[in-house]
Amino acid sequence: MTSGWPRAAATALQFLTRLPVPGGASADPARFEADLPRALALFPLTGALIGTLTAATLWLASQLWPLPLAVLLALALEARLTGALHEDAVADLCDGFGGGRTPEDVLRIMKDSRIGAFGLLGLAFAIALRAAGLIALPDAATAAVALVVSGWLGRLLMLAAMLAIPPMPGRPGLGGSVASHATPRALALALLLSLPAPLLGLWWDALAMLLALLGSALFLAWFRRLVLRHLGGSTGDCFGFAGYAGLVLTTLAFTAHR
């Protein structure tokens, strides 16, 4: 039986991916609660791992096909790897915020399994921006680095959103349960454990890395106000949306000054 950090790593992988990882705590509520503080600190590192697997797919595919096709294949594999966790959150949040007038309306729409016009357009534009940004990069190597760094920053932004936006009052759920374990210490530890990912970004393209960090900070300030205005507090979909926003913003940062 695993314990401590190995079990926390398995829990983080089980939470963020659909990989058949043994030894986590997702099936045991008591263990899940106990492992969450450490698992949250591993979210950015897990994101960098997801980005690395996606980047490897892109690079291998680029040896056989043009970059645009390699990008689409890599993003398709990533969606399968994560169970489209973030894409689902983007669609739900766009539908809820676009069609709901009160917090109750927003929640009702977000819980509806059907996708509406706002959700469809929001998800389509989010995926298109990310894919187009990767295709616009000069080569597969730069696109691969962007995928690793964006995987890291997207999950770091999730953790930052958990700290910055209080859970929606009176609405207990998985998102609120997870967010309650997010602490400044967990964020600092997450940065330390995943330091190679941002260092890779700085080494490859320092300006792009700084733009990505600045864009993420500005996004978080705006997103916090948006969520509080529409819902009065965050839900799990809010954190998933923040994660995908980090993926898009990092990709656009690497493309910005080309």
Side-chain angles (χ1 to χ4, degrees):
M1 178 181 294
T2 57
S3 61
W5 283 105
R7 195 173 68 198
T11 299
L13 282 167
Q14 289 175 350
F15 194 92
L16 293 174
T17 76
R18 294 297 179 267
L19 292 173
V21 182
S26 61
D28 185 334
R31 282 177 56 193
F32 184 69
E33 288 284 328
D35 286 342
L36 262 178
R38 284 178 173 174
L40 285 175
L42 293 171
F43 269 28
L45 186 60
T46 304
L49 173 61
I50 295 169
T52 299
L53 295 174
T54 309
T57 302
L58 183 145
W59 187 84
L60 289 171
S62 71
Q63 307 305 303
L64 297 174
W65 297 289
L67 184 60
L69 184 55
V71 165
L72 293 178
L73 288 170
L75 293 183
L77 175 99
E78 182 194 69
R80 179 66 184 89
L81 179 65
T82 62
L85 176 70
H86 301 295
E87 290 85 351
D88 181 65
V90 170
D92 285 345
L93 205 71
C94 288
D95 264 340
F97 283 15
R101 297 187 175 217
T102 66
E104 290 73 23
D105 284 341
V106 173
L107 280 176
R108 175 180 53 79
I109 295 171
M110 286 168 62
K111 290 179 179 179
D112 193 331
S113 60
R114 296 168 296 182
I115 186 169
F118 287 108
L120 179 61
L121 286 171
L123 181 58
F125 279 123
I127 294 174
L129 282 171
R130 192 169 172 222
L134 290 168
I135 291 168
L137 291 171
D139 50 52
T142 303
V145 171
L147 284 168
V148 174
V149 175
S150 66
W152 165 80
L153 187 55
R155 280 68 182 194
L156 183 70
L157 196 52
M158 282 182 70
L159 189 52
M162 292 178 191
L163 276 171
I165 312 173
M168 190 176 182
R171 298 282 181 175
L174 182 59
S177 173
V178 172
S180 66
H181 292 276
T183 63
R185 181 179 180 276
L187 182 62
L189 185 58
L191 283 168
L192 180 63
L193 293 173
S194 61
L195 196 58
L199 289 179
L200 171 65
L202 285 169
W203 172 71
W204 193 271
D205 192 330
L207 179 56
M209 194 68 223
L210 294 175
L211 285 173
L213 292 171
L214 176 61
S216 296
L218 293 174
F219 164 81
L220 185 58
W222 167 81
F223 189 58
R224 182 180 188 277
R225 294 182 60 188
L226 182 73
V227 170
L228 292 178
R229 185 170 73 246
H230 281 276
L231 285 173
S234 59
T235 67
D237 281 331
C238 297
F239 307 136
F241 184 97
Y244 203 85
L247 299 177
V248 173
L249 288 169
T250 306
T251 305
L252 295 180
F254 270 81
T255 313
H257 60 288
R258 298 292 169 185

